[in-house]
Amino acid sequence: MKRRKFLKNSAIGSAGMLSAPIIASCNETSKTTPLKEEGVKIKPLVVATWNVPNATASAWGVLNAGGNALDAVEKGVMEEEVDVSNQSVGKGGRPDRDGNVTLDACIMDKNGECGSVVYLQNITHAISVARKVMEDTPHVMLAGLGAEQFAYEKGFPKEELLTEKSKQDWLEWKKTSKYEPIINIENHDTIGMLAIDKNGDISGACTTSGMAYKIGGRVGDSPIIGSGLFVDNEIGGATATGVGEEVVKTVGSFLIVELMRQGKSPQEACEEAVNRIVSKNNNYKNFQVGYLAINKKGETGSYCIQSGFTYRKYSEEGHINIPSGSFIPS
Ligand code: SD4
């Protein structure tokens, strides 16, 4: 039996994961039992990069009402896309050096299906366009004008994404045109979100306007499956924030999920992924990368290069902002 079919046919394709992750993922004939039948209490939860309480509350609303993780992460990150005070995501995002706001986003579901948009202009909800790419096309990624045209065909409205505030900031920046990515932007930045629903299924979403004042056409890690986001419903999920070029070079989110597959906790996996960047880059003191991960048991972890990165977690235990450990001590 094909692996995907096997997983779909089991009530939850991950049932044996809690007790024997590696054995179950390699042995397709082993009996998988729903977590509920095993007596394991599934606890829905959502985590997101940075202190984004509106986003996690919105996602939790979906999960708490019995909704699925995919709907939760889409709805959650949409809060940031529409929030013009977040100048790193969606409407109100800082533009590229020519004054154009260009968005990158991707989404990944429990079946390993994914959709992505890169260099998308004039559409606020890049994440929802990415979901449409996943669900309504045979493709994974649409770029630029093609992505924008696709969005209009799907009924997304054309909107001006450059707000007066971001325009003024850009005009100020143009006076020196010095390209220096800011290390931690006002406690909110690119949003990467991971959720587990009542069935124990995991999905993730990541959306951004990318690095402020980038060269026109630049695409970061956030829409790249495996770099800004990766989910394997048998194992867990990971997402990234910070200088995307450094994340792409080490395929950070995929690396974290694979490290968890080998038995590392989300925390250990995030630390190793940061160490990988630092060990290959003498310049690491000058940029930030932060990782966030969850595993199938609902354990979470995060790690970053510079101090200051935090993540939000919403579960039945509460709604909290958790500071991340950092390679460079605070
Ligand atoms: C990017 N990772 O485009 C995103 C931006 C970001 O802190 O997270 N900035 O590289």
Side-chain angles (χ1 to χ4, degrees):
M1 193 186 298
K2 286 259 184 309
R3 179 183 193 77
R4 173 65 50 78
K5 203 165 164 212
F6 169 80
L7 291 171
K8 276 188 178 152
N9 287 350
S10 65
I12 169 173
S14 52
M17 294 302 111
L18 290 183
S19 47
I22 294 167
I23 294 168
S25 71
C26 297
N27 180 2
E28 295 189 355
T29 57
S30 67
K31 182 174 178 292
T32 54
T33 321
L35 294 174
K36 279 179 195 158
E37 286 175 23
E38 278 189 345
V40 176
K41 182 159 166 34
I42 299 165
K43 292 184 182 162
L45 74 89
V46 57
V47 289
T49 54
W50 304 103
N51 189 15
V52 284
N54 294 340
T56 38
S58 185
W60 178 252
V62 174
L63 297 172
N64 203 30
N68 66 54
L70 183 65
D71 290 340
V73 294
E74 180 189 12
K75 188 148 189 286
V77 303
M78 284 171 75
E79 298 286 338
E80 293 302 306
E81 288 181 329
V82 83
D83 178 357
V84 292
S85 73
N86 184 341
Q87 291 179 282
S88 307
V89 178
K91 195 173 192 167
R94 290 191 178 87
D96 65 18
R97 67 183 186 182
D98 304 316
N100 299 313
V101 181
T102 72
L103 306 181
D104 293 338
C106 73
I107 194 160
M108 197 160 184
D109 75 6
K110 63 178 181 174
N111 299 317
E113 299 299 334
C114 46
S116 160
V117 288
V118 305
Y119 195 66
L120 177 67
Q121 298 184 61
N122 302 312
I123 309 283
T124 298
H125 290 302
I127 199 65
S128 303
V129 184
R131 183 168 177 178
K132 290 278 181 211
V133 173
M134 174 174 82
E135 293 180 339
D136 294 0
T137 81
H139 308 307
V140 164
M141 185 180 284
L142 292 182
L145 284 176
E148 190 177 340
Q149 184 57 37
F150 171 75
Y152 297 140
E153 283 163 19
K154 292 291 169 187
F156 289 83
K158 180 169 186 167
E159 290 183 76
E160 175 57 74
L161 302 184
L162 186 64
T163 55
E164 196 48 37
K165 167 87 175 89
S166 287
K167 185 176 175 186
Q168 290 309 324
D169 288 355
W170 167 62
L171 291 173
E172 191 57 34
W173 170 81
K174 280 219 310 178
K175 290 178 185 165
T176 56
S177 298
K178 206 169 167 199
Y179 184 69
E180 261 180 4
I182 303 166
I183 281 181
N184 292 318
I185 304 174
E186 297 153 12
N187 279 334
H188 53 206
D189 208 325
T190 294
I191 178 166
M193 181 176 274
L194 303 160
I196 303 180
D197 61 28
K198 69 176 194 313
N199 295 320
D201 289 323
I202 303 174
S203 291
C206 188
T207 179
T208 188
S209 51
M211 303 306 296
Y213 319 131
K214 59 199 173 185
I215 295 173
R218 180 266 188 187
V219 171
D221 61 314
S222 304
I224 309 294
I225 298 297
S227 289
L229 176 75
F230 195 72
V231 171
D232 183 329
N233 196 38
E234 295 179 13
I235 306 298
T239 188
T241 181
V243 174
E245 282 73 4
E246 302 306 329
V247 176
V248 167
K249 286 177 202 168
T250 48
V251 199
S253 294
F254 183 73
L255 173 62
I256 290 169
V257 172
E258 291 309 299
L259 290 167
M260 292 194 291
R261 193 190 306 276
Q262 290 164 21
K264 293 211 183 304
S265 68
Q267 184 61 35
E268 289 166 343
C270 288
E271 289 179 18
E272 184 160 338
V274 165
N275 288 341
R276 192 74 62 93
I277 294 174
V278 165
S279 67
K280 288 179 183 294
N281 201 321
N282 294 333
N283 189 35
Y284 70 86
K285 288 191 177 134
N286 296 322
F287 61 83
Q288 173 69 303
V289 169
Y291 285 121
L292 172 61
I294 61 174
N295 67 12
K296 199 68 183 166
K297 296 183 215 169
E299 295 168 338
T300 65
S302 73
Y303 203 61
C304 57
I305 300 176
Q306 322 274 343
S307 65
F309 172 53
T310 67
Y311 71 95
R312 264 272 165 186
K313 177 178 171 190
Y314 208 146
S315 69
E316 62 186 18
E317 280 145 30
H319 191 196
I320 48 174
N321 190 42
I322 302 172
S324 177
S326 56
F327 185 85
I328 301 173
S330 49

